[in-house]
Amino acid sequence: MKSIAYAIGLAAVTLCGGAAAQQQYPTRNVNMLVPFAAGGPTDTVARVVAQAMGKPLGQTVVVENRPSAGGILAPEQVKNAKPDGYQILIHHIGMATTPTLYRQLRFNPLTDFEYIGLINEVPMTIVAKPTMPAKDFKEFLAYIKANKDKVSYANAGIGAASHLCGMLFMSAIQTDFLTVPYKGTGPAMNDLLGGQVDFMCDQTTSTSSQIKSGKVKVYGITSAQRVASLPDVPTLQEQGLKGADVGIWHGLYAPKGTPKPVMDKLVGALQEALADATVRQRFTDLGAVTYPKERQNPAALQAHLKAEIEKWAPLIKKAGQYAD
Ligand code: ASP
């Protein structure tokens, strides 16, 4: 009898302890896992958001790069992390494309996570090494088609945005190129600048400064509209190329089972971060569009993810004959 009472007491204490810990959350640093290499576009978005979320959370949000081809390891690690709010994931459209691209994925984007909210959407740009001879998109197309056995395309592995964009592009122009995979487009950009690879498709968060300083050649934007921060760069559509439209959206996730009081704090912190004038300006400068407040929440991210999985599955299958 005594031991039952003791056990009940212990359970109550543990429960209260758990509830108290949830109310006091966070009492230490929060880790934000990034699926790609440091210095790349996802890393850039992560660092802006992490720094701004630190203020409302009252703790530092530490960006941890866990790069892997296609970005498939970080989601698995967050899936397997303790659901206590100290390990969260930032990811992009790869959460919606990998379920179609991989036969065996060790996480399920629709069942293994809690959703914090949508962050922003970033267009991509077709950029080439500084010595690429073509002076406009027409010449670029003619050049890469004429040299298709020599030209190489850099990406961040199957499931990366650069992979998706390249796949759509190759399918649209009906030409394959040798693809060189990196663990992020940060290192890929270094090789592009050095001329070791010929071209790639990367987010404006990474390419804007290189384009503005003339360090890379740019041949088009993958969104339907031009980007305010790069007003002189025409879209691919404007230049007559259909079927390569892609916008890279970012979302924030926590492991499935993260308690509601913790989730509420993370959602509130994300919303506060995205309302911050410095954050908004920084995103604008990088060509990114912050989602409106009504989409910076769990329901909107979950709905968007589901819709994107459904949208991309047939397009990937169609373009897949040109995938690497
Ligand atoms: N955005 C990735 C990075 O940060 C690469 C990609 O998705 O293509 O490197």
Side-chain angles (χ1 to χ4, degrees):
M1 203 56 187
K2 232 179 179 178
S3 66
I4 294 176
Y6 176 74
I8 292 173
L10 197 68
V13 168
T14 316
L15 212 68
C16 289
Q22 290 167 23
Q23 296 305 336
Q24 283 157 12
Y25 168 85
T27 54
R28 55 189 162 86
N29 289 350
V30 172
N31 290 337
M32 184 187 284
L33 267 60
V34 177
F36 297 101
T42 314
D43 180 67
T44 300
V45 174
R47 281 172 204 277
V48 174
V49 174
Q51 201 195 358
M53 281 179 74
K55 215 197 277 167
L57 287 175
Q59 293 288 342
T60 306
V61 179
V62 181
V63 169
E64 270 195 37
N65 298 86
R66 299 283 173 85
S68 67
I72 56 167
L73 283 186
E76 185 190 343
Q77 287 168 352
V78 171
K79 168 196 161 179
N80 294 327
K82 202 167 161 202
D84 57 6
Y86 290 99
Q87 188 111 264
I88 59 175
L89 171 75
I90 186 167
H91 206 340
H92 63 20
I93 194 168
M95 281 294 255
T97 56
T98 45
T100 305
L101 289 165
Y102 284 79
R103 279 200 197 118
Q104 243 273 28
L105 205 58
R106 291 202 292 251
F107 62 90
N108 182 337
L110 292 174
T111 55
D112 291 335
F113 300 92
E114 302 292 342
Y115 307 98
I116 300 171
L118 281 163
I119 301 171
N120 63 14
E121 192 158 320
V122 188
M124 300 190 87
T125 43
I126 303 272
V127 288
K129 64 182 180 183
T131 53
M132 177 63 71
K135 69 173 184 320
D136 56 27
F137 183 62
K138 205 167 152 237
E139 278 188 26
F140 174 67
L141 268 191
Y143 177 87
I144 56 174
K145 283 190 174 193
N147 293 281
K148 67 177 168 39
D149 296 330
K150 282 188 265 164
V151 165
S152 56
Y153 176 82
N155 70 21
I158 297 175
S162 45
H163 165 262
L164 179 66
C165 180
M167 187 167 103
L168 297 173
F169 181 72
M170 289 182 216
S171 175
I173 68 165
Q174 303 271 300
T175 312
D176 277 341
F177 302 95
L178 171 76
T179 58
V180 185
Y182 293 80
K183 284 189 179 171
T185 46
M189 176 61 85
N190 289 341
D191 273 11
L192 190 78
L193 293 170
Q196 284 95 327
V197 281
D198 295 301
F199 78 110
M200 72 171 168
C201 181
D202 199 14
Q203 289 125 91
T204 54
T205 17
S206 230
T207 59
S208 290
S209 60
Q210 312 289 4
I211 292 170
K212 284 182 188 155
S213 61
K215 291 205 179 102
V216 292
K217 293 268 171 73
V218 61
Y219 296 110
I221 289 188
T222 65
S223 50
Q225 266 93 40
R226 290 192 184 203
V227 177
S229 58
L230 295 168
D232 302 333
V233 184
T235 67
L236 292 175
Q237 269 189 36
E238 266 177 70
Q239 303 181 95
L241 190 77
K242 305 260 176 290
D245 304 349
V246 57
I248 305 309
W249 53 272
H250 295 91
L252 209 56
Y253 305 81
K256 188 86 190 167
T258 304
K260 179 139 192 328
V262 173
M263 285 303 300
D264 289 348
K265 285 202 183 151
L266 288 166
V267 174
L270 175 66
Q271 292 179 348
E272 228 177 292
L274 296 182
D276 186 301
T278 326
V279 169
R280 296 185 84 86
Q281 188 56 51
R282 179 96 178 101
F283 281 162
T284 304
D285 293 345
L286 294 169
V289 179
T290 307
Y291 279 109
K293 174 105 191 272
E294 60 272 17
R295 300 194 71 191
Q296 301 161 4
N297 60 56
L301 172 56
Q302 186 174 18
H304 190 64
L305 175 67
K306 194 163 173 288
E308 285 280 291
I309 291 175
E310 282 159 14
K311 170 187 164 178
W312 286 105
L315 295 172
I316 289 168
K317 283 177 191 147
K318 186 163 165 259
Q321 57 187 306
Y322 287 96
D324 40 15

